[in-house]
Amino acid sequence: MIFLTIGTQEPFDRLIKAVDEIAEIIDRPIIAQVAKTSYVVKNMQAHEFVSPTEFNSYFNQAKLIISHAGMGTIITALEKEKPIIVLPRIAKLGEHRNDHQLATAKSFDKLKYIHVAYNEHQLKDKLLSLLNEDLKPLHKIGKFASKELLNSIQSFIES
């Protein structure tokens, strides 16, 4: 199962439409948290709202996460060792107030921690390619900061 989430900033019809079009040509179920969307979903199991419990259940069951480039979703995917592909919201398209999601996506892309698509065509190509591979996360993180980071911060504060 693939889980699509758009986060709490609404709407993100460009992502929903792109994934719905891909859902038509693949044989894997997609569950989507779509919030209030003007796009009529045809090929996915769409939910306007999912509770935190349902969200965690879908997230934990998913073999792949498709998402906006929100930090909460990215960090959760890295913690839960889920492969994730993100499509950042773009300010000039009215999807967000600024392009911080684009900056986030570029930073994680540069680190090669997540899969990033910068437009709908890249999303389709990357998703179809990923589905032909053994789905694995590109990077993992723990729930807590490393001892080295904590020591570095402590040294900085004490200096």
Side-chain angles (χ1 to χ4, degrees):
M1 182 266 282
I2 298 170
F3 184 47
L4 164 65
T5 178
I6 65 160
T8 56
Q9 182 78 33
E10 304 169 10
F12 196 9
D13 290 355
R14 184 168 61 101
L15 176 59
I16 296 166
K17 182 177 184 288
V19 176
D20 193 45
E21 290 173 357
I22 296 166
E24 186 176 16
I25 60 172
I26 64 173
D27 63 350
R28 297 198 188 197
I30 300 177
I31 296 176
Q33 174 262 321
V34 298
K36 292 180 181 173
T37 177
S38 60
Y39 177 77
V40 178
V41 175
K42 302 172 195 88
N43 305 300
M44 303 184 291
Q45 179 183 330
H47 300 273
E48 185 174 316
F49 174 80
V50 293
S51 71
T53 301
E54 291 169 316
F55 184 92
N56 286 332
S57 177
Y58 292 141
F59 209 101
N60 290 335
Q61 292 175 54
K63 300 292 184 204
L64 175 68
I65 307 297
I66 303 173
S67 176
H68 68 128
M71 283 300 299
T73 305
I74 292 170
I75 296 298
T76 301
L78 295 174
E79 282 180 357
K80 294 183 180 240
E81 302 182 14
K82 297 288 182 180
I84 183 170
I85 182 167
V86 302
L87 178 69
R89 294 175 186 270
I90 303 297
K92 71 180 178 187
L93 299 177
E95 297 169 341
H96 220 301
R97 293 176 293 283
N98 57 45
D99 281 329
H100 74 277
Q101 285 204 358
L102 184 58
T104 297
K106 285 181 177 177
S107 294
F108 277 96
D109 195 18
K110 186 176 178 182
L111 292 167
K112 300 189 183 314
Y113 282 10
I114 63 173
H115 300 279
V116 177
Y118 293 98
N119 59 53
E120 302 91 312
H121 301 292
Q122 284 184 359
L123 178 66
K124 181 179 180 182
D125 291 345
K126 286 187 181 233
L127 181 56
L128 293 176
S129 176
L130 281 172
L131 293 177
N132 288 321
E133 301 172 7
D134 186 20
L135 290 172
K136 293 181 181 173
L138 293 178
H139 189 76
K140 306 169 192 172
I141 61 170
K143 272 194 150 321
F144 305 101
S146 68
K147 188 170 182 112
E148 294 80 20
L149 177 59
L150 294 174
N151 288 339
S152 178
I153 292 170
Q154 184 176 5
S155 294
F156 175 77
I157 292 171
E158 293 173 353
S159 64

